Amino acid sequence: MALIPNDQPKNEGKTNPKITKIETQKRKGRYNVYLDGEYAFPIDESVLVNHVLFKGMEISKEFQKQLEEEDDFSKAFSRAVNYLSYSLRSEREVRDDLLKHEFSLETAEKAIEKLKTMKYIDDLTYAESYTRTAANLNGKGPYTIRQELKKRGVHETIIEQALMQYPLEQRIENGVAAANKVLKRTKQSSSKETANKVRQNLMQKGFNSDEITEILTHIDTEKEEDDEYEALKKHGEKIWRKQSKLTGSKKIQKVKTNLYQKGFDGELITQFINEKELEEE
């Protein structure tokens, strides 16, 4: 009779099925195990070697369950290692990926604990790397980085540590770069609207109010009066044509209202209106 490993539960008084075939799968490192001539379960090479499985070995139901659980863990671990090979991941990202691939929560947690022991998963290392990349390559503000790390399940205390990788000086530098891009796109806007668009853009990128105030001291959103008036005229001409069906005070009021909403100064608006009225006399 074949020997039963010490870690295999004994089932006295009953005959356990025997391994009649161990078949190599097409997938490297995977095998199919047959009991009493019938396919029983798949198994990873690491589990097969660990338990020294061989043809003729008796396999109790309890031992088969143990082998299947170990195989499931091996598959989960391999899946996680492969997932991590493409990029650093947070603990939650690895867990979510394993659950998405239909591993049980218990198996996922076991795989994660082993990966943490091996330093394959380390949320602080992940968060610090994510912060540096977001700051250096994407110029994101700290609030955006904080929210993105939260979505990935990183704990608040770890996020605070990670954000130390993004000093205030660099935040201001990134904010100024983002603001200058907005300035290039707002040459036809009023000074007031330009400043508002810069603020809005910086808020969307994740900079806080104090940082934005500091950033604005490094750029100039005020246009020269001639440039301001040229921008007003471009908008004013479009609005004037659009209101062609109106006449008199109704048309003037409509044009004034639209130009005020775009942040232009009242005196410049009056100057434009007077010029248009002279043209149409």
Side-chain angles (χ1 to χ4, degrees):
M1 178 180 288
L3 296 175
I4 300 176
N6 292 332
D7 58 351
Q8 178 178 343
K10 295 179 174 61
N11 198 350
E12 296 179 0
K14 293 184 180 179
T15 302
N16 294 316
K18 295 180 180 179
I19 296 176
T20 51
K21 183 179 180 182
I22 300 176
E23 177 183 64
T24 305
Q25 292 185 4
K26 290 182 180 180
R27 194 164 31 158
K28 186 177 179 181
R30 298 290 298 169
Y31 298 84
N32 293 326
V33 177
Y34 290 76
L35 299 179
D36 292 345
E38 295 185 357
Y39 170 75
F41 54 89
I43 197 167
D44 190 80
E45 185 172 42
S46 61
V47 181
L48 184 146
V49 171
N50 184 51
H51 290 282
V52 198
L53 301 187
F54 59 90
K55 186 177 179 179
M57 176 185 283
E58 290 188 5
I59 304 292
S60 68
K61 287 184 178 181
E62 292 81 4
F63 187 44
Q64 180 177 338
K65 182 180 179 182
Q66 178 187 337
L67 292 172
E68 289 173 344
E69 287 176 351
E70 290 184 23
D71 180 63
D72 201 41
F73 168 81
S74 180
K75 287 190 292 185
F77 183 79
S78 296
R79 167 69 206 176
V81 169
N82 182 64
Y83 185 54
L84 288 163
S85 69
Y86 296 98
S87 174
L88 287 175
R89 313 280 185 178
S90 70
E91 180 178 329
R92 177 186 287 180
E93 286 179 305
V94 175
R95 182 181 295 105
D96 288 348
D97 181 74
L98 290 173
L99 296 178
K100 185 178 74 174
H101 286 82
E102 299 184 351
F103 291 102
S104 70
L105 180 59
E106 182 182 1
T107 299
E109 293 298 343
K110 287 180 180 178
I112 286 169
E113 284 307 310
K114 183 175 180 179
L115 289 163
K116 287 168 71 174
T117 300
M118 298 172 69
K119 300 298 182 183
Y120 281 21
I121 294 177
D122 185 321
D123 273 3
L124 178 57
T125 300
Y126 168 80
E128 289 179 338
S129 175
Y130 189 95
T131 299
R132 288 192 296 270
T133 299
N136 297 335
L137 299 183
N138 304 320
K140 294 180 180 179
Y143 179 77
T144 296
I145 295 172
R146 181 187 298 276
Q147 293 305 109
E148 290 176 349
L149 288 172
K150 278 185 178 180
K151 288 179 182 177
R152 289 160 175 78
V154 180
H155 194 275
E156 185 67 34
T157 55
I158 293 177
I159 293 175
E160 287 297 330
Q161 287 181 266
L163 285 173
M164 293 174 67
Q165 300 290 315
Y166 195 1
L168 180 60
E169 182 180 347
Q170 186 181 9
R171 298 180 189 187
I172 302 306
E173 183 181 326
N174 285 346
V176 170
N180 282 326
K181 289 180 181 179
V182 177
L183 292 179
K184 290 179 181 179
R185 300 196 301 266
T186 55
K187 290 182 178 180
Q188 304 305 322
S189 299
S190 67
S191 297
K192 183 177 180 180
E193 188 175 35
T194 296
N196 288 338
K197 286 183 176 180
V198 168
R199 282 184 175 276
Q200 184 178 20
N201 179 268
L202 292 173
M203 287 178 65
Q204 290 172 344
K205 280 188 169 293
F207 295 94
N208 65 38
S209 58
D210 289 341
E211 290 162 349
I212 292 172
T213 298
E214 177 64 22
I215 290 164
L216 288 173
T217 66
H218 295 271
I219 64 171
D220 187 7
T221 59
E222 286 292 323
K223 291 181 170 62
E224 296 291 336
E225 187 172 326
D226 288 346
D227 293 333
E228 184 89 352
Y229 189 61
E230 284 302 312
L232 182 152
K233 285 172 66 176
K234 285 185 179 296
H235 288 285
E237 292 290 351
K238 291 179 182 178
I239 297 167
W240 192 270
R241 288 193 299 272
K242 190 175 180 180
Q243 305 301 329
S244 59
K245 292 182 180 180
L246 298 177
T247 57
S249 61
K250 288 185 178 181
K251 181 175 184 177
I252 290 171
Q253 188 58 44
K254 196 75 172 178
V255 173
K256 281 185 176 181
T257 300
N258 275 270
L259 290 173
Y260 274 125
Q261 289 173 346
K262 291 185 177 294
F264 290 105
D265 178 74
E267 290 184 8
L268 292 181
I269 294 173
T270 299
Q271 179 183 335
F272 173 74
I273 296 294
N274 291 338
E275 289 178 3
K276 294 304 295 182
E277 288 181 314
L278 286 172
E279 287 177 11
E280 295 188 354
E281 283 185 358

